[in-house]
Amino acid sequence: MEVEPLYGGIEAGGTKFICAIGSGPDDIRAEERFPTTSPAETIGRAVAFFRRWQEAGGPALSAIGIASFGPLDADPASPTFGYITVPPKPGWANTDFAGAVQRALNLPAAFDTDVNAAALAEWRWGAGRGLHTLVYLTVGTGIGGGAIVHGRLLHGLAHPEMGHMRIPHDRERDPFPGVCPYHGDCLEGLAAGPALEARWGQPAESLPPDHPAWELEANYLALGLMNLVYALAPQRIILGGGVMEQSHLFPRIRQKLLQLFKGYVANPALLQDMERYILPPALGQRAGVLGAIALAQQTHLSGGK
Ligand code: ADP
Ligand code: ZN
């Protein structure tokens, strides 16, 4: 019987790390979570988790995948590949994350953003299976997006920053200036969880479904999605993150997006099929750590390219 390769995954979030060993959603053999503190301590705990597996004689790992908060350098040709670059998280600037893991465990280490990894996992095992071009957008503490284009994660100058798109902002309807420290009223500044909380004076999760916050929210997200549809022509858009736990947002966003198209899309079948076009993630909370495993698998199967 052919033995399926086994991988390590690290989901590195701003508040917690999740480490796992496995080969996919139905095969997670070990898992551990701990809070994010300093780089040395937190990366050290992750390394220790995989070392224990190795020392206990568990089946060998073929690669480690790291799905991290950013901004980060995921370009294998860059001298600072594997680094977290200039994050809002104190103490983590210029951290050689992937290099530290790779040297400590002597294994190839794949490295990408948490949202790119989640896009990869949803494509591989979740709501994007069978497609070649899709977008995964998370609406949580920030807004971030990853795209699979022709079966590969989209990387260019760096990873995309879809949350910082500009969208029309009608200041008569919504005088709130936005919370993005760089742009004020970009998509993230207007529609991420902290923007909802600052605009309405209460946490997003406590706003009832009939609160006017949600019509505005659906409007902003639909404007952002319209730009993504027109720019990337994804075959599907998957919307995750804490704010999208408000499941009533899905029908509202679909309806607003239809209105915004005004009948103009290159594939008119889309206009009849919005329920299958805008979807929640199938992997839910597990998309991050499974994404890390998917990154490791991708690196292993491509021979490190
Ligand atoms: P993170 O982005 O930090 O990984 P989340 O995706 O959970 O984590 O996003 C946290 C943000 O989402 C917070 O601003 C919070 O207010 C908001 N949020 C979390 N759960 C819900 C919910 N059920 N409904 C609406 N907003 C939520
Ligand atoms: Zn911004």
Side-chain angles (χ1 to χ4, degrees):
M1 198 180 90
E2 199 174 317
V3 181
E4 189 161 10
L6 207 55
Y7 306 100
I10 305 174
E11 178 185 3
T15 52
K16 68 173 186 300
F17 269 42
I18 305 177
C19 298
I21 290 166
S23 64
D26 306 322
D27 176 34
I28 296 295
R29 316 234 182 134
E31 192 176 303
E32 187 173 291
R33 25 187 94 204
F34 41 87
T36 307
T37 55
S38 69
E41 182 181 34
T42 324
I43 296 172
R45 285 184 81 165
V47 165
F49 168 77
F50 297 112
R51 278 224 178 108
R52 279 199 299 282
W53 176 269
Q54 289 173 328
E55 284 161 9
L61 305 180
S62 296
I64 306 282
I66 304 170
S68 179
F69 66 88
L72 53 76
D73 187 344
D75 175 3
S78 157
T80 52
F81 168 73
Y83 279 62
I84 292 184
T85 53
V86 283
K89 183 136 185 92
W92 283 78
N94 302 314
T95 296
D96 182 9
F97 192 165
V101 169
Q102 192 203 315
R103 285 188 296 272
L105 297 170
N106 197 22
L107 286 171
F111 188 63
D112 215 325
T113 60
D114 40 12
V115 66
N116 268 350
L120 189 64
E122 285 293 333
W123 175 58
R124 185 82 180 68
W125 297 303
R129 262 176 302 178
L131 306 177
H132 58 72
T133 298
L134 63 87
V135 166
Y136 175 93
L137 198 76
T138 178
V139 189
T141 305
I143 296 184
I148 301 279
V149 177
H150 298 310
R152 291 181 67 102
L153 277 170
L154 176 64
H155 291 106
L157 186 63
H159 50 82
E161 290 280 8
M162 299 179 192
H164 296 277
M165 280 186 292
R166 303 311 293 252
I167 52 166
H169 176 197
D170 177 353
R171 284 176 187 267
E172 297 216 340
R173 180 178 176 198
D174 174 28
F176 181 67
V179 295
C180 175
Y182 297 96
H183 316 112
D185 61 351
C186 62
L187 179 61
E188 174 174 303
L190 289 172
L196 285 159
E197 178 160 356
R199 182 187 290 109
W200 302 105
Q202 61 189 94
E205 50 270 50
S206 72
L207 294 162
D210 60 356
H211 193 285
W214 299 119
E215 274 305 298
L216 193 63
E217 180 72 4
N219 200 49
Y220 287 145
L221 292 174
L223 285 163
L225 297 189
M226 174 179 164
N227 291 338
L228 289 169
V229 173
Y230 284 158
L232 291 174
Q235 294 169 293
R236 185 166 294 162
I237 297 177
I238 302 165
L239 295 178
V243 172
M244 295 309 302
E245 295 287 323
Q246 301 286 325
S247 54
H248 56 85
L249 277 175
F250 282 89
R252 293 184 210 244
I253 290 168
R254 294 183 188 114
Q255 192 198 2
K256 300 244 177 227
L257 191 50
L258 265 185
Q259 287 166 0
L260 288 168
F261 286 147
K262 298 187 189 295
Y264 185 80
V265 283
N267 184 340
L270 171 60
L271 303 173
Q272 260 66 61
D273 207 13
M274 294 297 284
E275 275 73 26
R276 291 205 305 153
Y277 192 61
I278 308 285
L279 284 182
L283 304 172
Q285 304 281 7
R286 305 171 71 211
V289 74
L290 288 169
I293 286 173
L295 287 173
Q297 182 189 48
Q298 178 181 263
T299 287
H300 176 63
L301 297 180
S302 69
K305 280 187 278 299

